[in-house]
Amino acid sequence: RRVHGEKAKVDKKTLEEGIPDGWLGLDCGEKSMKIFCDSINRAKTIIWNGPMGVFEWDNFSKGTKTAMDTVVAATTKGALTIIGGGDTATCCAKWKTEDKVSHVSTGGGASLELLEGKELPGVAALSPA
């Protein structure tokens, strides 16, 4: 009987090996996290929308926690860091980093649409005609 959820069996696979049938990729591996963290460390502005894995389950939170730690470190070095989206904001709350980044917003999708230059109905309603 296969166990799903937080108590699921954990295994690591490389890109070359692939994820076998019947398994799910629920977190980032070490090679991927090195690539992500290298990018975060070079950035002067970081907009993060969406966790790296199923951060709610400890077995699959390592990628998200590593990214959070790296974003916090970048903030202390002067980077502008914006956390957008409910799940990513929840990550900040879980690891008590809300005051260690520049800004936290629960408006993930809306924030991205604003950055794309789309008109947001709520903002448009408040703006002078």
Side-chain angles (χ1 to χ4, degrees), residues 71-123:
V71 167
V72 167
T75 308
T76 64
K77 294 176 188 170
L80 173 65
T81 54
I82 301 168
I83 307 296
D87 286 339
T88 320
T90 300
C91 295
C92 281
K94 177 177 181 169
W95 293 306
K96 301 181 183 354
T97 59
E98 296 108 325
D99 63 343
K100 296 178 180 161
V101 296
S102 305
H103 181 73
V104 180
S105 169
T106 57
S111 297
L112 293 177
E113 288 183 5
L114 181 65
L115 290 172
E116 288 177 41
K118 292 182 179 177
E119 182 177 84
L120 303 179
V123 174

Side-chain angles (χ1 to χ4, degrees), residues 20-34:
D21 289 342
W23 285 75
L24 298 170
L26 300 177
D27 201 2
C28 292
E30 293 171 13
K31 286 182 183 179
S32 295
M33 286 316 303
K34 180 174 180 350

Side-chain angles (χ1 to χ4, degrees), residues 54-71:
V54 183
F55 70 94
E56 299 91 342
W57 297 340
D58 288 340
N59 282 342
F60 307 106
S61 66
K62 188 174 182 179
T64 304
K65 178 68 164 90
T66 299
M68 182 64 71
D69 292 344
T70 307
V71 167

